[in-house]
Amino acid sequence: ERRRFARTGSLLADEQGRPDPLPVCIALTTALRQQGISVVALRSDSSGRMLTSALAWCLEAGSVLSVFQNAPPHVGRLPRRRLVPALLLEDLRIVRAMTQASPDCDRIDDELRRFVQDQAPTLSRGARSTRRDASMAIANLVGLARPQSEPIQGAAIQDLVLVRKMQPGALVALVFGGADPLFRGVSWAQLSSAVVAIAAQGTAGVRVAVVDGARHNAHSAYPRFYQALERALTSSAA
């Protein structure tokens, strides 16, 4: 599974672009069904989009009403040698400083992380496999930084095209940061082509917002702003 993800950047499609969700996605939707839990909306930040796209496809056809993805990878055009250092700089320095300076009382800062670690030690310091963690980290790094020449060719857009074939009535809402390395190099014409490709597969709308100047993981610093943006994009009256 890790090898395929590293090659494709997708939990849904195989190397030929055909829908073939990984077992973990099928198992999760099976568990939800067995518990009688109905999922009608899915949302994700950054790399979480791989799971929400796969889950949307695995759920009962026509049951999903909206898919919201903020800062999805596999859209921008930076090569790995530039994207990986840029993301490390964003996460380790820029976003951390931005979060500490944010006036948003819901920001995810170092104080909140320490609180969670103190309250849930089994989650933060539980038994882990160093070898498995390292293997998954490498797969994530390779898969997330998988380059493409056009956004429409990337895993994010291709996964959503598959999702809309299974969930034609699902509203798709996408948010990109104008200064996010994952979005760098994308023109409005290329973004428009990607939106048209998704919209062609369903009956519901496709809504896109580009937040000028927003960095990668800016939602950690300004969660209330992004919550309001999500509500505006996914509202039936938007």
Side-chain angles (χ1 to χ4, degrees):
E1 291 182 8
R2 289 191 290 267
R3 284 195 298 270
R4 200 191 85 174
F5 172 68
R7 290 193 295 266
T8 64
S10 173
L11 300 178
L12 171 57
D14 63 16
E15 294 177 65
Q16 284 72 47
R18 298 171 300 201
D20 181 24
L22 291 177
V24 63
C25 304
I26 297 174
L28 182 52
T29 52
T30 299
L32 291 169
R33 192 178 303 115
Q34 290 174 345
Q35 293 298 317
I37 299 174
S38 298
V39 178
V40 297
L42 292 154
R43 59 105 46 226
S44 59
D45 294 313
S46 193
S47 59
R49 77 105 198 131
M50 275 88 75
L51 182 57
T52 54
S53 291
L55 288 179
W57 190 92
C58 292
L59 291 168
E60 182 181 353
S63 64
V64 177
L65 301 180
S66 68
V67 177
F68 174 85
Q69 296 181 353
N70 170 49
H74 310 120
V75 175
R77 302 180 64 193
L78 283 185
R80 279 196 182 104
R81 68 180 184 277
R82 294 179 57 193
L83 179 58
V84 172
L87 287 175
L88 289 174
L89 177 62
E90 291 273 320
D91 287 340
L92 296 178
R93 293 184 57 186
I94 297 174
V95 175
R96 173 163 290 189
M98 180 175 60
T99 301
Q100 295 302 120
S102 170
D104 193 321
C105 60
D106 292 336
R107 66 187 183 277
I108 304 174
D109 56 13
D110 291 342
E111 182 180 355
L112 179 58
R113 292 188 180 93
R114 286 193 295 269
F115 174 79
V116 172
Q117 290 173 351
D118 292 341
Q119 297 298 314
T122 56
L123 293 177
S124 60
R125 297 186 294 273
R128 304 178 67 88
S129 166
T130 302
R131 178 178 295 181
R132 184 178 67 245
D133 287 353
S135 176
M136 194 62 204
I138 293 172
N140 283 342
L141 189 61
V142 175
L144 291 177
R146 182 175 180 267
Q148 59 277 321
S149 58
E150 298 286 340
I152 196 172
Q153 298 172 350
I157 304 304
Q158 290 301 311
D159 278 1
L160 286 173
V161 168
L162 293 175
V163 166
R164 286 278 289 226
K165 291 179 180 180
M166 185 64 69
Q167 310 289 351
L171 169 70
V172 173
L174 303 172
V175 175
F176 301 100
D180 188 342
L182 291 175
F183 187 64
R184 202 163 297 165
V186 178
S187 68
W188 283 107
Q190 292 166 336
L191 185 58
S192 297
S193 297
V195 169
V196 168
I198 300 169
Q201 301 302 324
T203 56
V206 179
R207 298 168 181 170
V208 177
V210 178
V211 183
D212 189 34
R215 316 294 302 225
H216 183 61
N217 281 336
H219 54 274
S220 298
Y222 302 99
R224 291 194 173 190
F225 168 79
Y226 280 88
Q227 289 164 8
L229 184 56
E230 177 181 354
R231 286 193 297 270
L233 289 175
T234 56
S235 169
S236 59

